[in-house]
Amino acid sequence: MTDMTIEVRAPFDGRLIDTVETSGAEAVEAALDTAYRLFRDRNAWLQPAKRVEILRQAARLMTDQAEHLAVEAAREGGKPLIDSRAEVARAIDGVLNASELLRSEGGSVVPMGGTTASLGRIAFTTHEPVGVVVAVSAFNHPLNLIVHQVAPAIAAGCPVIVKPAEATPLSCLRFVAILREAGLPEAWCQALVTESREVTGKLVTDPRVGFLSFIGSAAVGWSLRARLAPGTRCALEHGGAAPVIVAPDADLAAAVPLIAKGGFYHAGQVCVSVQRVFAHRSIAARLARELGDAAGKLRVGDPLLAETEVGPLIRPGEVARVHEWVEEAISRGAELLSGGSPLSETCYPPTVLLEPPPDCRLSTREVFGPVVCVYAYDDLDEAIGRANALPYAFQAAVFTRDFATAFHAYSHLDGSAVMVNDHTAFRVDWMPFAGLRQSGLGVGGIPYTFRDMTIEKLFVGKMV
């Protein structure tokens, strides 16, 4: 790494993939000046029909390049190729979703005439772009997260500056190039890999920024939010320690593979990965054993191989950290049912623990690795209380055949979404996706992000 470039290396074996130029304070200032001037010139705004055309053409280009995009994302991010292909398909659908919003998300009529003061008036609203959007993204979905932040900004008519994760900038740069090939003028979407956190801070906190979209760690996100200029809106997407409740009547044959998928997909590096499973005492040991068996059968290795189901962690330091947390839990009484030892400097096996102590790090913090903990409970409300006990709340799940149990869990769990008979990591990109408490601020999902990136502007006309 030099002062002017960073090396992008494959997390599985450290191979050099590419080098990328970094941007300092001068480049950030130039990007902000370009974007803000564009936003302030209303005559230069892209018309809705043009935005639709660009997004549709981008989706077509992405479809043509789908396999290349999947391989590139798998190489730089470490997600297995089978899952990277699914990510690319989601990203293409997300771009199309953004293009459709311009036909479905309109203003509204505000009734007049209901009071003497409002007689003889007509009122309606339209949408306008909120301003310059700055999008700071994470590594774990290097293409789809960028789409979630950038495509709604384009649909809304906002100039956007996007900063991808340093570990995975290539998918972002590829997507920006595709947008430009699709007809988007360069100034409307600028990608910067900033050279330091200080420079990122200058980008985010500048008063010319109208909206910050941040996906990443809670510590960084909340710190940036506290430093935003007055009037800058924001949405923060952090992580959690997603809870699953398994009732005694649950279909374990169906539940186990779903819990395994939700816990070990992308080596657990997902903000809503299954981490804490609360199973009724009558089935907890069996569930943990079967989950351990399922975990042990997953193939870990090179993400570019078709047979790989679990890839590496993003960097070796994360393997060491996850192992330290696992060893702590075992030393304090947790029973190890699968995994538990690094496979290499970069890969950690899918790991299942039964009854870690409630105050260890695996029980109280987001592991962001391939570890699932199982805890026995005696009473449903006890399980819900334990699930709700942490300062994080995002997506949760319950497995049961009983509607009353499902609805009771839905009504009492703190998550913004509760899945019934499915894992916590389920998502389609047009549904609301919201971290609560320390897990985030605002509502994600492409239509919701689009609304955040617009203002509703009122017209009131008086008849003369």
Side-chain angles (χ1 to χ4, degrees), residues 48-363:
K50 182 63 175 177
R51 292 178 240 156
V52 170
E53 176 189 328
I54 290 167
L55 290 167
R56 287 179 175 175
Q57 178 62 12
R60 286 190 286 268
L61 292 169
M62 292 171 73
T63 301
D64 292 342
Q65 302 175 35
E67 184 64 12
H68 180 83
L69 290 167
V71 170
E72 187 166 63
R75 289 179 72 200
E76 68 172 343
K79 185 187 296 178
L81 186 56
I82 186 173
D83 294 322
S84 289
R85 287 174 176 144
E87 177 181 345
V88 172
R90 281 181 60 187
I92 293 167
D93 188 66
V95 173
L96 290 172
N97 187 292
S99 74
E100 293 161 358
L101 295 172
L102 287 159
R103 291 186 173 184
S104 61
E105 296 286 334
S108 59
V109 173
V110 180
M112 292 284 151
T115 64
T116 302
S118 64
L119 288 173
R121 288 174 170 82
I122 186 171
F124 59 86
T125 65
T126 59
H127 289 154
E128 285 191 356
V130 70
V132 175
V133 168
V134 167
V136 178
S137 205
F139 76 86
N140 52 335
H141 306 291
L143 178 63
N144 201 39
L145 291 183
I146 298 296
V147 165
H148 269 257
Q149 296 170 292
V150 172
I154 293 168
C158 297
V160 57
I161 302 170
V162 56
K163 192 208 87 65
E166 288 185 7
T168 56
L170 302 180
S171 295
C172 172
L173 297 176
R174 181 79 57 186
F175 179 59
V176 173
I178 286 172
L179 288 171
R180 291 172 175 174
E181 186 180 349
L184 184 71
E186 288 190 11
W188 283 94
C189 184
Q190 303 173 82
L192 302 177
V193 180
T194 49
E195 66 182 16
S196 66
R197 283 194 175 184
E198 179 184 0
V199 172
T200 303
K202 290 180 179 179
L203 169 64
V204 168
T205 60
D206 191 278
R208 289 166 289 188
V209 176
F211 189 87
L212 167 66
S213 171
F214 177 87
I215 303 174
S217 77
V220 175
W222 291 115
S223 173
L224 289 174
R225 185 218 180 196
R227 296 164 53 198
L228 292 181
T232 301
R233 301 182 184 185
C234 73
L236 310 177
E237 185 181 309
H238 303 144
V244 175
I245 294 175
V246 185
D249 67 337
D251 180 351
L252 294 190
V256 167
L258 289 168
I259 293 171
K261 180 65 176 179
F264 304 127
Y265 165 69
H266 197 11
Q269 298 171 116
V270 179
C271 59
V272 286
S273 289
V274 172
Q275 182 171 331
R276 299 176 297 145
V277 178
F278 300 94
H280 191 268
R281 192 169 301 278
S282 63
I283 60 169
R286 176 188 166 193
L287 172 66
R289 184 175 62 253
E290 292 185 8
L291 187 59
D293 290 344
K297 295 174 183 176
L298 293 172
R299 289 162 291 191
V300 183
D302 186 343
L304 295 181
L305 298 179
E307 63 268 23
T308 298
E309 296 169 288
V310 178
L313 295 181
I314 191 63
R315 58 181 64 88
E318 291 300 289
V319 174
R321 178 190 60 79
V322 169
H323 187 52
E324 180 183 319
W325 289 21
V326 169
E327 285 192 313
E328 175 199 28
I330 293 171
S331 71
R332 296 182 56 194
E335 180 181 353
L336 178 67
L337 295 171
S338 70
S341 296
L343 298 174
S344 68
E345 186 182 35
T346 62
C347 291
Y348 202 82
T351 297
V352 177
L353 297 173
L354 178 62
E355 295 290 5
D359 59 345
C360 73
R361 283 175 287 186
L362 283 178
S363 297

